[in-house]
Amino acid sequence: MTATPFVSTEIATQPELWRQVSARFAQYGGALPEAGQRVAAVGCGTSWFIAMAYAALREDLGQGLTDAFAGSEFPAGREYDAIVVISRSGTTTEILDLIRNTKLPTVAITGTVGSPITELADQTIMLDFADEQSVVQTRFATTTLALLRASLGQDLEQAAADAETALTIDVDELAKLEQVTYVGTRWTVGLAHEAGLKQREAASAWTEAYPAMDYRHGPIAIAQPGRGVWIFGEPPAGLIDDVRATGATIVHHAELDPMASLVIAQRVAVAKSLALGLNPDQPRSLTRSVILPD
Ligand code: F1P
């Protein structure tokens, strides 16, 4: 592959988009749930992992009960004050079915103007400026999370500056790791899942992801020299020593916002894909949106 993949260009725009979306936050703020409301956040694939990150962060910031579900797993009949649905394409079957079948208020975050979700959801937050040409999501997902973090009162400037640093870090050695397991704590568990998905999608590579505390309950058995354990956020006590003892490579960007560490993970996924002679924009067996037959 000689031309620059779309995903590489899209990854590089993230710092600016995070700044842009947080500056525009006031414009969208009214549509997002208020503090104290009981909220469900729902998506599929990447969008589910962003929902997971938002849910844990919202609860940890004391803004109210927040659950995250994959689109297919929303528990019908459970009461929430609002459902936040995330879908870049606005066409994902499980998400559209959920909105059609619920009586609860829905707010959709999407990247696609005129998509069915904009007709079905009660309110829509349109992030079309963060849409992507690559099938593999990077900037739509992180820009959505930047918006959600801003809605919870977080300042994204440091994260954006850290993401600029993340764009300059050499990833060649990380891309040579045979296998990576990503771990996180609370809101960074969602980031760990998203990082793992990037390598599976872009490079058809074997990755795993777990809550960091759960990692020692079995998954550590595959750690060995030549493989990596990528830690998002604060590592639990003793974890680094336990991983070091296996000989696996520890990846931990302690000085960067966890979303900037995700940017590095995205770049590793692309580098690994290219090294294998694959097209990182077009994962095997995957389309931009999963639309299932009736
Ligand atoms: C969800 C999704 C993505 C995946 C790929 C196909 O899309 O499953 O997670 O990376 O792009 O679609 P969406 O509902 O956010 O459009």
Side-chain angles (χ1 to χ4, degrees), residues 282-287:
Q282 186 48 74
R284 196 164 60 180
S285 318
L286 185 64
T287 47

Side-chain angles (χ1 to χ4, degrees), residues 44-47 86-92 95 135-137 140 197-198 201 286-290:
C44 293
T46 288
S47 297
I86 304 170
S87 177
R88 175 182 68 174
S89 61
T91 53
T92 297
I95 297 300
V135 168
V136 174
Q137 293 199 31
F140 174 76
L197 183 65
K198 289 312 87 171
E201 288 182 335
L286 185 64
T287 47
R288 170 175 160 89
S289 170
V290 177

Side-chain angles (χ1 to χ4, degrees), residues 112-133:
T112 312
V113 175
S115 58
I117 204 170
T118 63
E119 299 292 321
L120 293 170
D122 296 313
Q123 300 194 72
T124 299
I125 294 176
M126 179 57 65
L127 303 184
D128 52 334
F129 55 90
D131 196 8
E132 295 150 320
Q133 283 178 274

Side-chain angles (χ1 to χ4, degrees), residues 31-46:
L32 287 166
E34 288 168 22
Q37 289 191 305
R38 291 166 55 93
V39 172
V42 185
C44 293
T46 288

Side-chain angles (χ1 to χ4, degrees), residues 173-224:
E173 288 307 309
L174 292 175
K176 287 180 191 152
L177 291 169
E178 178 206 5
Q179 187 278 340
V180 182
T181 298
Y182 302 86
V183 301
T185 315
R186 300 296 304 154
W187 75 281
T188 64
V189 174
L191 300 190
H193 282 293
E194 171 57 3
L197 183 65
K198 289 312 87 171
Q199 274 216 31
R200 294 196 290 276
E201 288 182 335
S204 300
W206 169 35
T207 59
E208 307 210 357
Y210 300 94
M213 283 298 282
D214 225 58
Y215 174 71
R216 287 176 284 201
H217 294 272
I220 193 168
I222 64 163
Q224 64 184 47

Side-chain angles (χ1 to χ4, degrees), residues 66-250:
T66 318
D67 293 324
F69 300 102
S72 57
E73 303 306 314
F74 183 80
R78 194 174 298 177
E79 289 297 321
Y80 291 98
D81 297 316
I83 309 179
V84 176
V85 288
I86 304 170
S87 177
R88 175 182 68 174
S89 61
T91 53
T92 297
T93 301
E94 296 96 308
I95 297 300
L96 299 185
D97 285 349
L98 165 64
I99 303 175
R100 283 191 192 103
N101 293 329
T102 187
K103 292 187 172 63
L104 303 174
T106 51
V107 51
I109 305 177
T110 186
T112 312
V113 175
S115 58
I117 204 170
T118 63
E119 299 292 321
L120 293 170
D122 296 313
Q123 300 194 72
T124 299
I125 294 176
M126 179 57 65
L127 303 184
D128 52 334
F129 55 90
D131 196 8
E132 295 150 320
Q133 283 178 274
S134 179
V135 168
V136 174
Q137 293 199 31
T138 53
R139 73 181 188 188
F140 174 76
T142 63
T143 301
T144 297
L145 187 53
L147 169 68
L148 292 167
R149 287 179 69 180
S151 80
L152 299 174
Q154 295 202 319
D155 183 347
L156 270 293
E157 178 45 41
Q158 189 58 53
D162 288 348
E164 280 166 350
T165 304
L167 294 172
T168 66
I169 286 172
D170 188 84
V171 295
D172 289 353
E173 288 307 309
L174 292 175
K176 287 180 191 152
L177 291 169
E178 178 206 5
Q179 187 278 340
V180 182
T181 298
Y182 302 86
V183 301
T185 315
R186 300 296 304 154
W187 75 281
T188 64
V189 174
L191 300 190
H193 282 293
E194 171 57 3
L197 183 65
K198 289 312 87 171
Q199 274 216 31
R200 294 196 290 276
E201 288 182 335
S204 300
W206 169 35
T207 59
E208 307 210 357
Y210 300 94
M213 283 298 282
D214 225 58
Y215 174 71
R216 287 176 284 201
H217 294 272
I220 193 168
I222 64 163
Q224 64 184 47
R227 297 181 181 170
V229 178
W230 191 305
I231 302 171
F232 286 94
E234 194 60 33
L239 182 66
I240 289 199
D241 288 341
D242 291 344
V243 174
R244 194 170 285 131
T246 70
T249 298
I250 297 163

